[in-house]
């Protein structure tokens, strides 16, 4: 059995090649008795489980088809699809995980995160994160009609991309002491996350921090097979 980890596919209607790459990945790499962990930003945006169009249906069908046949799929929220809820997960047969989440694999304690919570140098972003992850904000947002939610999401994206243009590159990466704190506090053997779009295996005082890449020119994944974790990529 293999365990796969992916993140930051950023699937969206306007990029059908990414949905195709995901279908191809899940069809050709992942066996039905394997496990698939999707560690956030699977979708470029998510404004509520009640929003559906042909694109969303097609992605749901890819997942549904596999989980119905026995594949175990786990979902973690990213900073773009944090509104994915129980309805979506139930429909596609996936299990929603908290961020962070610890699994045990081949006697290794592995911590899974999306990764945005590690970027503590970006104070504006952390404040924004605290706001939109609050129950009050989410209840208020989800009570709006779809048209209004789409407007709000569009504005938030525009503000964020404007802000990111002027931010120092380093501020948008993980904070080193936050990483070490997390690893030490939970005494994990491996940390896996995405979000930064900087795929690499870092050595954090002897603990590997495996960073998944975003999907674009390449698809990135981590495969665990017979006790080894490998960070791999393939041309899309
Ligand atoms: Mn992200």
């Amino acid at each position: 059995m293999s365990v796969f980890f992916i993140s930051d596919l950023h699937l969206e209607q306007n990029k059908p090649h990414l949905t195709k790459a995901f279908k191809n990945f899940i069809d050709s790499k992942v066996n039905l008795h394997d496990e698939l962990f999707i560690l956030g930003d699977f979708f470029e945006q998510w404004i509520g489980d009640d929003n559906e169009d042909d694109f969303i249906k097609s992605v749901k069908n890819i997942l549904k088809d596999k989980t119905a046949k026995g594949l175990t799929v786990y979902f973690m929220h990213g900073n773009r699809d944090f509104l994915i809820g129980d309805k979506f997960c139930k429909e596609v047969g996936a299990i929603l995980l908290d961020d962070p989440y610890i699994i045990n694999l081949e006697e290794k304690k592995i911590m899974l995160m999306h990764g945005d919570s590690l970027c503590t140098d970006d104070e504006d972003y952390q404040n924004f994160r605290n706001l939109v992850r609050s129950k009050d904000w989410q209840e208020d947002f989800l009570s709006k009609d779809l048209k209004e939610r789409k407007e709000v999401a569009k504005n938030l994206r525009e503000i964020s991309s404007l802000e990111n243009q002027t931010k120092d590159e380093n501020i948008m990466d993980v904070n080193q002491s936050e990483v070490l704190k997390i690893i030490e506090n939970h005494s994990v053997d491996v940390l896996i996350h995405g979000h930064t779009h900087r795929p690499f295996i870092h050595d954090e005082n002897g603990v590997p921090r495996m960073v998944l890449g975003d999907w674009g020119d390449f698809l990135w994944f981590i495969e665990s097979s017979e006790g080894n974790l490998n960070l791999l990529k393939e041309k899309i």
Side-chain angles (χ1 to χ4, degrees):
M1 184 192 93
S2 294
V3 182
F4 291 90
F5 304 89
I6 54 174
S7 75
D8 304 279
L9 283 71
H10 296 272
L11 300 183
E12 60 174 312
Q13 181 134 35
N14 299 333
K15 293 182 178 170
H17 66 288
L18 293 178
T19 304
K20 219 174 128 196
F22 176 61
K23 176 154 177 25
N24 188 34
F25 171 79
I26 207 170
D27 279 342
S28 63
K29 289 252 175 293
V30 186
N31 290 309
L32 292 174
H33 55 267
D34 293 339
E35 291 186 350
L36 175 64
F37 287 82
I38 302 175
L39 301 180
D41 288 357
F42 181 62
F43 290 104
E44 171 68 7
Q45 73 160 3
W46 195 259
I47 58 167
D49 291 355
D50 55 339
N51 181 45
E52 191 168 68
D53 53 27
D54 287 346
F55 156 70
I56 290 170
K57 261 187 218 157
S58 70
V59 178
K60 279 181 182 171
N61 285 337
I62 297 172
L63 290 166
K64 260 195 242 180
D65 177 53
K66 295 292 173 185
T67 56
K69 289 177 185 155
L71 179 70
T72 309
V73 176
Y74 297 96
F75 248 97
M76 186 177 277
H77 286 145
N79 52 300
R80 293 182 170 274
D81 54 10
F82 59 87
L83 284 172
I84 282 178
D86 293 334
K87 184 173 174 280
F88 170 83
C89 288
K90 207 173 162 206
E91 206 182 329
V92 302
I95 299 153
L96 193 59
L97 303 179
D98 288 336
D99 176 4
Y101 194 85
I102 292 175
I103 58 166
N104 288 294
L105 203 61
E106 310 273 357
E107 293 177 15
K108 277 192 196 114
K109 198 171 166 189
I110 302 175
M111 171 164 272
L112 310 175
M113 305 179 91
H114 176 59
D116 57 327
S117 62
L118 295 168
C119 301
T120 52
D121 291 334
D122 192 345
E123 281 177 34
D124 291 342
Y125 172 70
Q126 293 303 329
N127 290 334
F128 172 76
R129 188 180 194 272
N130 287 338
L131 173 72
V132 298
R133 298 296 182 98
S134 71
K135 211 168 164 244
D136 284 351
W137 189 91
Q138 296 195 354
E139 274 175 5
D140 179 57
F141 181 79
L142 291 172
S143 71
K144 298 178 197 298
D145 64 32
L146 283 169
K147 192 166 163 270
E148 206 180 333
R149 275 185 257 164
K150 281 177 188 161
E151 255 329 285
V152 175
K154 190 167 160 256
N155 291 338
L156 288 176
R157 272 206 314 282
E158 278 165 11
I159 293 167
S160 140
S161 84
L162 271 178
E163 281 178 358
N164 287 350
Q165 280 168 22
T166 56
K167 271 180 197 168
D168 189 303
E169 274 289 296
N170 292 327
I171 236 182
M172 284 153 61
D173 202 351
V174 299
N175 172 287
Q176 197 61 31
S177 45
E178 190 66 22
V179 166
L180 292 174
K181 195 175 86 189
I182 287 274
I183 287 174
E184 275 164 33
N185 284 354
H186 299 270
S187 31
V188 292
D189 303 307
V190 183
L191 171 59
I192 295 177
H193 70 83
H195 179 65
T196 59
H197 302 185
R198 299 171 197 209
F200 197 73
I201 303 176
H202 300 265
D203 180 343
E204 308 288 3
N205 289 350
V207 173
R209 174 168 65 91
M210 305 181 78
V211 187
L212 286 156
D214 58 316
W215 288 29
D217 294 336
F218 294 95
L219 61 84
W220 289 89
F221 62 102
I222 290 170
E223 182 174 4
S224 154
S225 194
E226 290 163 13
N228 296 312
L229 287 165
N230 297 303
L231 175 64
L232 303 162
K233 68 171 173 179
E234 266 177 31
K235 188 103 185 78
I236 285 184

